[in-house]
Amino acid sequence: MTPPTDIKTIGVFGGTFDPIHNGHLAIAEFVRLKLSLDRVIFVVANDQWLRKYPPEASATDRFKMVELAVKNRTYFSASNVDIVRHGHTYTIDTLRDLHAQLGDSVVMKLIIGTDAANSFHQWKCVEEIQSFATVVVVGRPAIRVNSPLLGSDLDIDIQMEYLEGPMVDVSATMIRNFNKCHKQIEKLTTQAVTDYIKTKGLYLE
Ligand code: ATP
């Protein structure tokens, strides 16, 4: 990725993106506007160590779908920094690598959903993550954030900014399940991503 020259505040939005969907795009745009971000970088995880099951699509396909979804959206871009690094994906490594690419003058905001926020206290190097980026939690339907409470029970100082957000009730699981049952997925993600899923025969039994 070429280091941007004129960018000051960046949203870092990591995920498995198996596949990327309208919920991801809606919260990224919401946070971008709310916090006046210059750009949101979608960082595709190689292997989320906390995830209970492996992704169904390859890292290459997941990255390609993110590229398709952000194409023609001026303020969004895709990063494969976690895929290139290989192995388990830890957010602290993502932030270190992006900081090295982008430089000291860039302020990073780490965007996570409430489910991710609730496991945040288990992440590797929580304090160091917070020294690299402000953590911004965005609401997700039916998942309440309890991380600050969990954090206060532990010997870790967790500071999170909470934004309610657009509350879009879509998940990647929903898309994978719908596609397996031959239910329409067009309204859940972009047309280009839908076409990619169909063409490549992803998310079938
Ligand atoms: P899966 O259903 O496979 O678990 P997912 O829809 O949760 O996938 P991920 O790629 O795992 O998607 O999520 C990446 C990040 O986006 C996480 O921080 C997650 O909390 C957040 N996120 C995903 N979907 C939404 C949504 N609809 N609203 C708010 N946040 C979301």
Side-chain angles (χ1 to χ4, degrees):
M1 191 173 62
T2 314
T5 50
D6 56 342
I7 289 173
K8 298 284 183 290
T9 310
I10 298 282
V12 177
F13 189 19
T16 303
F17 301 121
D18 189 25
I20 187 166
H21 55 67
N22 289 341
H24 295 130
L25 294 168
I27 69 166
E29 182 64 359
F30 174 83
V31 178
R32 182 184 79 78
L33 293 172
K34 190 83 179 169
L35 302 183
S36 303
L37 305 180
D38 294 289
R39 182 179 295 184
V40 176
I41 305 177
F42 290 70
V43 189
V44 181
N46 189 59
D47 174 12
Q48 289 267 23
W49 70 282
L50 269 174
R51 204 175 165 89
K52 292 190 189 81
Y53 46 90
E56 290 190 21
S58 68
T60 305
D61 282 334
R62 289 182 289 112
F63 182 66
K64 186 68 196 165
M65 289 188 280
V66 171
E67 279 193 314
L68 288 169
V70 302
K71 198 176 162 192
N72 303 327
R73 292 175 200 245
T74 316
Y75 300 105
F76 290 174
S77 62
S79 170
N80 64 356
V81 73
D82 290 337
I83 298 170
V84 169
R85 194 184 325 102
H86 297 293
H88 289 319
T89 297
Y90 297 105
T91 298
I92 185 57
D93 297 327
T94 311
L95 295 175
R96 281 190 192 124
D97 287 354
L98 288 178
H99 180 258
Q101 286 181 0
L102 299 168
D104 284 336
S105 62
V106 168
V107 173
M108 294 192 285
K109 306 274 184 179
L110 180 68
I111 303 169
I112 60 176
T114 40
D115 50 323
N118 288 338
S119 66
F120 185 73
H121 61 288
Q122 294 175 269
W123 294 15
K124 188 176 159 191
C125 303
V126 164
E127 277 98 348
E128 201 182 350
I129 287 174
Q130 296 180 102
S131 73
F132 273 111
T134 307
V135 181
V136 179
V137 181
V138 187
R140 190 166 185 174
I143 306 176
R144 292 166 58 130
V145 67
N146 57 8
S147 200
L149 290 177
L150 287 171
S152 66
D153 287 342
L154 304 165
D155 194 18
I156 311 173
D157 183 20
I158 296 179
Q159 304 289 332
M160 293 177 172
E161 181 173 348
Y162 179 75
L163 301 174
E164 177 85 351
M167 290 291 189
V168 180
D169 194 9
V170 179
S171 69
T173 304
M174 194 185 286
I175 296 184
R176 296 193 301 272
N177 290 343
F178 274 31
N179 203 55
K180 287 185 177 78
C181 302
H182 307 287
K183 282 169 77 175
Q184 291 208 337
I185 59 167
E186 280 77 1
K187 290 192 169 62
L188 307 179
T189 186
T190 70
Q191 189 59 51
V193 171
T194 301
D195 292 344
Y196 189 89
I197 290 170
K198 301 290 181 195
T199 305
K200 298 276 290 193
L202 303 179
Y203 312 125
L204 297 172
E205 291 294 1

